[in-house]
Amino acid sequence: MNQSLCARHLEAAALPLIDIAGLFSPDLAERTAVAERIGAACREVGFFCVANHGVDPALQQTVFEQARAFFSQPEAGKRALDKVFSNANRGYEPLRGQVLEAGAPADLKEGFYIGEELAEDDPRVLAGRFNHGANQWPSELADFRPTMERYRDAMNALAARLMGAIALSLQLPEEHFAGFCRDSMSTLRLLHYPPQPANA
């Protein structure tokens, strides 16, 4: 989505769009100025969107292409990677596989969950910690895994930078939350919403 179109959508939704280019500056004053805008958005609205985040647009495009390729596969291929086969809550979630409220209809979307790749002998895996373990990968899509791992790493780096800004917005040292950003339990979740029925 181009930035002007994005800005119009955000204006309609009343979500602040914050240019975070200053967070990449070596100048603490510039980083603090952005952090103050982020802090205000968190206190006044609770959500915000970012622009100039530094994530490679070509990588973003490849993520969409690879996600489209995965979700376009025959159902049997996707079902072979169903999350039910994972001890780490990783892999494919089929259409209508999630219900968020008791008695509500199932969500009309399908998803794919990816986290940090951990070996079977990792202490966190051996301890049975939730959401820790190996991912399931589609073997027929050679570029899927490297693309998603690069994107997940880019998102984790961006999240850590934003946490530094939030720390500054609270008048804390910029590295205050850094320990919480290591060995994170973050999940990259790809979602596909097929055409919806009229009575959805």
Side-chain angles (χ1 to χ4, degrees):
M1 183 179 292
N2 69 45
Q3 191 162 335
S4 63
L5 181 58
C6 181
R8 288 199 302 274
H9 282 286
L10 293 174
E11 186 177 299
L15 289 178
L17 176 62
I18 301 175
D19 184 334
I20 64 166
L23 293 182
F24 297 87
S25 170
D27 183 352
L28 177 60
E30 285 188 44
R31 298 195 307 275
T32 301
V34 175
E36 288 172 356
R37 290 194 292 279
I38 288 173
C42 289
R43 285 186 298 274
E44 295 164 15
V45 180
F47 295 92
F48 60 93
C49 294
V50 299
N52 296 317
H53 44 66
V55 179
D56 181 1
L59 174 58
Q60 294 175 62
Q61 183 61 37
T62 305
V63 167
F64 279 110
E65 291 167 1
Q66 289 297 307
R68 193 173 297 113
F70 174 79
F71 290 120
S72 296
Q73 294 183 108
E75 190 69 17
K78 295 183 287 187
R79 290 277 188 170
L81 301 175
D82 197 304
K83 287 193 326 164
V84 299
F85 304 127
S86 170
N87 292 327
N89 196 44
R90 310 282 175 75
Y92 177 65
E93 182 175 67
L95 192 68
R96 295 184 172 89
Q98 186 176 66
V99 178
L100 295 179
E101 292 182 32
D107 282 1
L108 295 174
K109 69 176 186 314
E110 54 184 341
F112 194 85
Y113 292 68
I114 302 163
E116 182 184 0
E117 188 75 34
L118 297 176
E120 289 182 12
D121 61 352
D122 185 285
R124 294 164 290 178
V125 177
L126 293 173
R129 289 178 62 180
F130 174 73
N131 208 34
H132 287 75
N135 291 291
Q136 299 189 82
W137 299 107
S139 58
E140 62 284 352
L141 298 175
D143 294 331
F144 187 89
R145 178 176 180 171
T147 296
M148 298 309 166
E149 288 183 328
R150 281 181 56 220
Y151 188 68
R152 188 199 61 232
D153 290 347
M155 291 295 99
N156 282 337
L158 178 57
R161 191 171 297 275
L162 290 170
M163 290 304 293
I166 289 171
L168 287 175
S169 78
L170 297 169
Q171 287 81 51
L172 295 169
E174 196 168 9
E175 297 300 314
H176 183 80
F177 297 116
F180 296 100
C181 297
R182 287 190 289 272
D183 298 325
S184 70
M185 200 174 70
S186 63
T187 299
L188 171 58
R189 187 176 180 207
L190 309 176
L191 297 177
H192 172 233
Y193 290 83
Q196 302 291 297
N199 63 347

